[in-house]
Amino acid sequence: MSATTAVHGADLARVGTARAVGVSRSTPADYIPVTETVKGRVGDTVVVRLGVTNLGPGVADGQAGSFAVVPPPGTTVTSIPWEGDDDDRRYACRPPQDKDNYFFLCDFSTSAGSSVTIGFHIRIDERIPGAKGSITVYGPNDPVPDNDRDTISVDATSAPLWRWQNPLWHWHHWPQAAATLAIVTLAGRWFVRRRRQDQA
């Protein structure tokens, strides 16, 4: 399967989300995404830190912008916990509104030369070779828009035998598994019979 990059409606997040407060018009700030690879076995839920780095020279003073995260195909964002807070809400970011605009929208504020990231809890549902998600930053007065997007890669390995996601437990694989088991059983019987004949 060829590589896929999920974008969906993330580009629509630009409208009305980045707030032009806290960054002086005379000191623009270049924002770039912070991304990590979703790495684990099928069935694992892993924590991936995603966010923004402010390359400066602007200095944020309050809420400076937002970033949109589109999960890679074959994965599910199960939660984005609020860190250092007693709030028990499931998401620190606004979850997708519908399947045509499937992105998580997160607000950020960061000073020049610093980064801010949020821990996304992402479950690997299936292994899709080449699958990629995306993270796009919408910062006010950003003079370098060409570096506002990056990909979220996936490094997934097969599920262990005891997990239902393992292909062995999928019903359409059972005939193949049964045939393989029958061949192994017959070969084992033949080997035992041959050993007995040789020892006789």
Side-chain angles (χ1 to χ4, degrees):
M1 183 178 295
S2 61
T4 56
T5 301
V7 175
H8 303 289
D11 288 329
L12 302 177
R14 181 180 295 277
V15 180
T17 58
R19 299 176 175 85
V21 296
V23 175
S24 170
R25 290 293 179 181
S26 61
T27 56
D30 180 18
Y31 297 98
I32 61 172
V34 175
T35 185
E36 287 185 351
T37 298
V38 181
K39 186 175 183 178
R41 290 185 170 187
V42 174
D44 286 350
T45 297
V46 297
V47 178
V48 178
R49 300 206 66 84
L50 305 172
V52 179
T53 293
N54 180 352
L55 297 180
V59 178
D61 181 18
Q63 198 163 26
S66 58
F67 63 91
V69 172
V70 177
T75 70
T76 300
V77 176
T78 59
S79 65
I80 312 171
W82 293 75
E83 299 177 3
D85 197 335
D86 292 333
D87 199 319
D88 61 356
R89 283 179 289 176
R90 185 178 181 185
Y91 295 118
C93 304
R94 291 187 287 282
Q97 301 304 304
D98 54 64
K99 64 181 181 179
D100 294 324
N101 297 285
Y102 200 84
F103 58 86
F104 293 81
L105 191 62
C106 311
D107 295 325
F108 73 88
S109 176
T110 181
S111 58
S114 64
S115 302
V116 59
T117 61
I118 301 176
F120 281 67
H121 291 226
I122 301 179
R123 185 181 66 235
I124 303 173
D125 298 320
E126 59 179 315
R127 186 171 180 266
I128 302 178
K132 296 180 185 297
S134 66
I135 174 171
T136 306
V137 179
Y138 305 105
N141 201 24
D142 187 338
V144 191
D146 292 342
N147 61 4
D148 290 346
R149 172 172 290 180
D150 204 347
T151 58
I152 303 171
S153 301
V154 181
D155 182 5
T157 55
S158 301
L161 182 61
W162 59 86
R163 285 184 179 164
W164 68 268
Q165 293 97 337
N166 190 293
L168 182 62
W169 306 116
H170 298 177
W171 68 269
H172 54 276
H173 289 295
W174 290 356
Q176 298 174 0
T180 301
L181 180 61
I183 293 173
V184 172
T185 301
L186 290 174
R189 289 178 177 174
W190 176 86
F191 180 77
V192 171
R193 188 181 305 114
R194 188 67 179 270
R195 285 288 300 269
R196 287 177 178 173
Q197 292 175 351
D198 292 341
Q199 293 174 356

